[in-house]
Amino acid sequence: MAATVEIPLAGGTADGETVRVELDSNGRPPLTHHHLGGHGLAEAEIYELESTVGGDQGWLYRWRGPAV
């Protein structure tokens, strides 16, 4: 079973939520997360991975804009 981690989302409509993602073989999460809206892909938003200093796990997904 792959290792997972919960990463907080910052900005956009999902601000303050967290997502659970799988870590790759180097222990890193995916570079982006596509957060689906209430109408699926039609309202999806893109979040980009950032490294944080002093955070619980050192990662944060920052809102970059709509996926469409």
Side-chain angles (χ1 to χ4, degrees), residues 5 7 21-24 28-33 47-49 61:
V5 64
I7 298 178
V21 297
E22 288 187 10
L23 301 177
D24 67 14
R28 293 180 51 95
L31 294 176
T32 60
H33 170 72
Y47 288 79
E48 189 175 77
L49 186 67
Y61 280 117

Side-chain angles (χ1 to χ4, degrees), residues 42-67:
E43 295 179 352
E45 295 184 315
I46 298 173
Y47 288 79
E48 189 175 77
L49 186 67
E50 290 184 4
S51 177
T52 62
V53 177
D56 290 342
Q57 285 131 15
W59 303 108
L60 169 77
Y61 280 117
R62 173 96 44 209
W63 181 77
R64 293 299 179 217

Side-chain angles (χ1 to χ4, degrees), residues 8 18 36 53-54:
T18 61
L36 301 180
V53 177

